[in-house]
């Protein structure tokens, strides 16, 4: 009976922790605190040195739970990544996920040698542990609070965080294998890495195709479909790991494949994985917080703080600048990408590997990595929004995905049914016109269900249901979620006038940019393709004294172009930023002319 009571008490305690973790999101929203940091703090409070007094040192269980949680988080990240976005940033994100990880690890290693007195091999192991950005932290911060970033910056950060784990995991496992007593590798490091990447990519793509095929072939009960997909994601990770491939890369690519193929029930699966991701993050961060011992962290306080600052202000920026130099990123874009190199559960998860391998410095690696994560989540996580606005990376307005309801239609994959509540500040009330590709199906008004010919004028409180292609649904978000204030901010950001992407460049030049002489056979949309390959919203190209801004992009082509007739000169932008920081920049006048200056299209 006492054993039963103890088990029940443990179950109650776990449930209370989860509920407290969920409710802590209200605190984070209210005060701007990084939510994942609160989960870690919650785990520490109930841990050995906190009021809870629970002694938890089962690194094996934490490693297993962390693995499963990260697999679900990365699969959900793949489900939310559009293939065109993935393709458009694959080269810069790929460099950040490989060369960027190596450069960051080397920078941290040099600091660890100086501050902790470690040998280069052990210092490089510590650098590898904290070198990769954390998918859970980046996904959460990029998608929380309605923050809208320029698509190229946003997609680069998300793809990098989802694909840089394989190299970090490979480096940590390889170094631990070599450094532990009697350890050695059976083959070349590069052969092992190529094998992991190739197997991970192959199994991930094949697993995603099989999941998509199964969803389209079999009709499962509605409640079991998301569970089937989540189980499939964990199976893909496990199978890849057993085949000596990168399981994290595999689950991300599997989610990417499922989301970008005509697949039934994707909306329901995404809703489930969104909830599962929240639970995974809560459980993972609380559990990792339980592992930490604050009195032990104090022993490495100053060297760990020094390593964290070197990582944030030196190693990460150098890696970003080196990797993004060949690509069309402004210096302000690079500064923001550097700042959002958040460390999180991945670093702590990797730090459990030396402990499990019983390395002499195992706990030192864990404590330093844990402290680095704390500093990163507090310093960087707390400031993502203001820094994005300060550097001009944030788009005006806010994302409101929570206002959209999605319903899958049986046997129909080219159209989906979406619903929106009509709020008092909905733009649609003032501009009641739908795009040609959207079709009104019904309106729910109170207890009445009205067909299109019965609706009359849409009113506040109505629920509007429409048919639309899945890839274009976000265009409806602006109609029903965007406020008039956000709309006016958009008009300021994207320029005073809007022209179709098919407008010839020379016609725009005749009216607004008389100092430009563009080719007569090039349209505005062609110019964006020539400059960027795959353009995204927010991309900018100069045309004489004005700027063209990609306002609406459909099927990888710019269909609406904003004209900024009086763009802010780069030098003025730098001075404005300096004034906000109260910094004098007399030596940067010549460099200021190059900041944010995009190259003209060929």
């Amino acid at each position: 009976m006492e054993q039963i009571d103890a088990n029940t008490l443990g179950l109650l305690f776990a449930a209370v922790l989860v509920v407290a973790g969920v409710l802590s999101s209200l605190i984070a929203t209210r005060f701007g605190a990084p939510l994942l940091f609160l989960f870690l703090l919650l785990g520490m409070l109930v841990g050995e040195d906190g009021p809870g007094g629970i002694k938890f040192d089962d690194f094996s269980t934490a490693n297993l739970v962390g693995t499963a949680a990260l697999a679900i988080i990365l699969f959900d990240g793949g489900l939310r990544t559009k293939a065109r976005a993935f393709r458009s940033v694959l080269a810069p994100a790929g460099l950040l996920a490989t060369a960027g990880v190596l450069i960051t690890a080397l920078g941290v290693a040099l600091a660890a040698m100086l501050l902790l007195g470690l040998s280069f091999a052990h210092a490089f192991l510590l650098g590898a542990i904290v070198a990769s950005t954390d998918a859970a932290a980046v996904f959460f911060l990029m998608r929380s609070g309605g923050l809208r970033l320029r698509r190229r910056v946003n997609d680069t950060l998300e793809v990098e965080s989802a694909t840089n784990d394989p190299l970090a995991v490979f480096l940590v496992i390889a170094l631990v294998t070599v450094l532990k007593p009697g350890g050695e590798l059976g083959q070349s490091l590069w052969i092992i890495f190529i094998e992991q990447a190739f197997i991970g990519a192959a199994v991930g793509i094949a697993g995603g195709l099989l999941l998509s095929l199964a969803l389209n072939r079999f009709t499962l009960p509605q409640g079991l479909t998301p569970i089937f997909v989540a189980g499939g994601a964990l199976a893909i990770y496990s199978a890849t790991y057993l085949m000596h491939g990168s399981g994290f890369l595999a689950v991300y690519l599997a989610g990417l494949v499922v989301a970008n193929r005509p697949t039934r029930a994707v909306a329901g699966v995404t809703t489930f994985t969104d909830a599962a991701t929240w639970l995974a993050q809560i459980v993972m961060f609380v559990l990792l917080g339980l592992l930490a011992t604050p009195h032990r962290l104090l022993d490495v306080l100053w060297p760990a703080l020094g390593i964290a600052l070197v990582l944030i202000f030196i190693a990460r920026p150098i890696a970003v600048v080196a990797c993004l130099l060949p690509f069309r990123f402004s210096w302000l874009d690079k500064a923001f990408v550097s700042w959002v190199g958040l460390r999180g559960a991945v670093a702590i998860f990797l730090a459990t590997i030396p402990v499990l391998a019983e390395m002499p410095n195992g706990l030192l690696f864990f404590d330093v990595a844990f402290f680095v994560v704390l500093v990163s989540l507090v310093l960087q996580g707390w400031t993502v929004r203001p820094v994005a606005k300060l550097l001009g990376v944030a788009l005006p307005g806010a994302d409101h995905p929570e206002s959209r309801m999605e319903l899958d239609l049986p046997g129909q994959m080219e159209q989906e049914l979406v619903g929106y509540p009509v709020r008092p500040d909905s733009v649609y009330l003032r501009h009641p016109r739908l795009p040609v590709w959207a079709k009104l199906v019904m309106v729910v008004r109170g207890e009445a269900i009205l067909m299109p010919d019965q609706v009359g004028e849409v009113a506040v409180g109505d629920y509007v249901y429409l048919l639309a292609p899945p890839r274009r649904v976000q265009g409806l978000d602006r109609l029903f979620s965007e406020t008039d204030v956000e709309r006016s901010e958009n008009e300021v950001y994207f320029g005073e006038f809007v022209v179709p992407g098919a407008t010839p460049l020379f016609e725009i030049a005749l009216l607004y940019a008389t100092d430009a002489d563009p080719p007569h056979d090039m349209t505005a949309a062609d110019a964006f393709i020539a400059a960027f390959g795959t353009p995204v919203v927010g991309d900018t190209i100069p045309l004489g004294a004005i700027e063209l801004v990609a306002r609406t992009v459909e099927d990888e082509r710019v269909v609406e172009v904003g004209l900024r007739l009086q763009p802010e000169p780069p030098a003025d932008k730098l001075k404005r930023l300096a004034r906000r920081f109260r910094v004098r920049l007399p030596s940067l006048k010549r460099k200021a002319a190059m900041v944010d200056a995009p190259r003209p299209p060929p």
Side-chain angles (χ1 to χ4, degrees):
M1 185 65 181
E2 291 180 359
Q3 182 64 36
I4 296 176
D5 291 340
N7 291 338
T8 305
L9 185 62
L11 181 61
L12 175 63
F13 186 72
V16 169
L17 279 182
V18 171
V19 171
V22 173
L23 292 178
S24 65
S25 63
L26 301 177
I27 301 174
T29 303
R30 173 78 174 173
F31 298 103
L35 186 58
L36 302 180
F37 166 72
L38 293 181
F39 293 155
L40 274 179
L41 186 61
L42 184 62
M44 295 173 69
L45 288 174
V46 299
E48 183 177 354
D49 287 355
I54 296 177
K55 185 176 181 179
F56 179 80
D57 56 0
D58 191 344
F59 284 85
S60 179
T61 299
N63 185 276
L64 177 62
V65 172
T67 298
L70 286 172
I72 293 296
I73 291 167
L74 286 169
F75 182 75
D76 180 68
L79 282 177
R80 297 175 184 277
T81 303
K82 299 300 181 185
R84 61 180 179 273
F86 183 83
R87 291 194 300 270
S88 69
V89 299
L90 182 58
L95 264 182
L96 285 171
T98 50
V101 169
L102 287 173
I103 295 171
T104 304
L106 285 171
V108 172
L110 295 176
M113 292 172 64
L114 179 64
L115 297 172
L116 291 172
L118 298 176
S119 66
F120 175 75
H122 286 83
F124 190 63
L125 171 58
L126 179 59
I129 287 173
V130 299
S132 67
T133 58
D134 184 68
V138 172
F139 288 165
F140 173 77
L141 285 170
M142 295 300 98
R143 293 165 180 163
S144 66
L147 178 64
R148 295 179 65 206
L149 298 175
R150 290 213 293 266
R151 294 306 310 175
R152 192 171 303 280
V153 173
N154 184 90
D155 295 339
T156 299
L157 285 167
E158 291 195 353
V159 174
E160 178 210 1
S161 67
T163 56
N164 64 5
D165 294 335
L167 180 57
V169 173
F170 154 74
L171 287 174
V172 171
I173 292 177
L175 288 167
V176 168
T177 303
V178 171
L179 294 175
K180 70 181 182 181
E184 61 179 9
L185 286 173
Q187 52 185 319
S188 167
L189 285 176
W190 289 113
I191 293 177
I192 296 174
F193 175 66
I194 292 171
E195 179 184 47
Q196 282 209 340
F198 178 79
I199 293 174
V203 176
I205 293 172
L209 291 172
L210 286 175
L211 275 179
S212 178
L213 180 64
L215 287 173
N216 292 333
R217 180 69 61 87
F218 306 116
T219 303
L220 298 172
Q222 187 174 8
L224 294 182
T225 300
I227 298 175
F228 168 78
V229 173
L234 291 175
I236 289 170
Y237 170 84
S238 303
T240 308
Y241 181 80
L242 292 175
M243 296 168 65
H244 304 290
S246 172
F248 293 135
L249 178 62
V251 290
Y252 175 74
L253 291 178
L256 185 71
V257 170
V258 170
N260 289 278
R261 283 180 53 82
T263 306
R264 293 189 304 177
V266 169
V269 169
T270 304
T271 301
F272 174 84
T273 56
D274 185 45
T277 296
W278 270 101
L279 181 61
Q281 288 180 154
I282 292 171
V283 172
M284 179 172 57
F285 277 84
V286 170
L287 195 61
L288 293 174
L290 274 169
L291 276 179
T293 306
H295 75 262
R296 207 173 61 226
L297 292 178
L298 293 176
D299 295 337
V300 295
L301 173 63
W302 296 114
L305 179 60
I307 289 171
L309 295 179
V310 168
L311 170 64
I312 294 170
F313 291 103
I314 300 177
R316 169 72 177 179
I318 290 175
V320 169
V321 171
C323 293
L324 297 187
L325 203 57
F327 305 101
R328 284 187 58 94
F329 287 87
S330 71
W331 287 103
L332 298 181
D333 291 341
K334 292 171 187 172
F336 184 75
V337 172
S338 299
W339 190 249
V340 190
L342 284 106
R343 270 59 193 175
V346 172
I348 305 176
F349 162 75
L350 292 178
T352 64
I353 296 176
V355 178
L356 293 173
E358 299 181 351
M359 289 185 62
N361 291 327
L363 285 177
L364 174 65
F365 293 127
F366 180 85
D367 292 340
V368 173
F370 193 94
F371 194 87
V372 168
V373 169
L374 287 180
V375 173
S376 177
L377 289 178
V378 173
L379 182 60
Q380 296 171 289
W382 219 307
T383 57
V384 165
R385 181 180 300 278
V387 169
K389 293 182 178 180
L390 184 70
L391 298 179
V393 178
L395 293 174
D399 278 332
H400 303 282
E402 71 281 352
S403 64
R404 183 204 313 156
M405 296 167 285
E406 297 178 336
L407 299 172
D408 286 305
L409 299 175
Q412 176 60 254
M413 290 176 286
E414 297 300 325
Q415 299 281 329
E416 70 177 355
L417 187 65
V418 292
Y420 295 90
V422 180
R423 306 183 311 183
D425 52 3
S426 291
V427 170
Y428 184 73
L429 286 177
R430 296 153 184 79
H431 308 276
R433 188 173 65 179
L434 293 173
V436 294
W437 41 263
K439 180 180 179 181
L440 180 64
V441 176
M442 65 179 181
V443 172
V444 177
R445 181 173 295 161
E447 297 183 358
I449 298 177
L450 306 177
M451 295 297 103
D453 57 348
Q454 301 173 318
V455 173
E457 291 187 1
V458 173
V460 174
D462 289 350
Y463 284 81
V464 178
Y465 290 86
L466 309 106
L467 278 178
R471 66 182 183 278
R472 290 184 166 180
V473 164
Q474 288 185 346
L476 295 174
D477 292 349
R478 294 195 294 270
L479 277 178
F480 293 94
S481 302
E482 187 178 74
T483 66
D484 276 344
V485 172
E486 292 169 351
R487 186 181 180 91
S488 63
E489 289 176 351
N490 272 325
E491 291 173 353
V492 171
Y493 180 88
F494 288 106
E496 292 84 349
F497 300 100
V498 179
V499 299
T503 305
L505 273 185
F506 80 91
E507 291 185 4
I508 300 175
L510 284 176
L511 292 174
Y512 304 106
T514 54
D515 55 337
D517 185 24
H520 279 228
D521 59 346
M522 177 176 283
T523 66
D526 295 335
F528 279 98
I529 292 175
F532 296 98
T534 304
V536 294
V537 173
D539 280 346
T540 304
I541 56 175
L543 182 64
I546 71 171
E547 287 180 345
L548 308 183
V549 187
R551 183 185 179 98
T552 305
V553 179
E554 294 181 0
D555 298 328
E556 301 183 4
R557 191 169 183 83
V558 178
V559 296
E560 284 186 344
V561 177
L563 304 182
R564 283 206 291 240
L565 303 185
Q566 294 181 329
E568 183 179 28
D572 290 351
K573 180 182 290 188
L574 187 59
K575 290 177 183 177
R576 172 171 53 81
L577 296 178
R579 283 197 300 272
R580 290 193 187 182
F581 282 118
R582 297 182 180 178
V583 174
R584 297 184 63 188
L585 300 171
S587 63
L588 296 182
K589 290 181 180 178
R590 181 173 296 180
K591 294 181 180 180
M594 298 185 293
V595 175
D596 246 4
R599 296 190 296 271

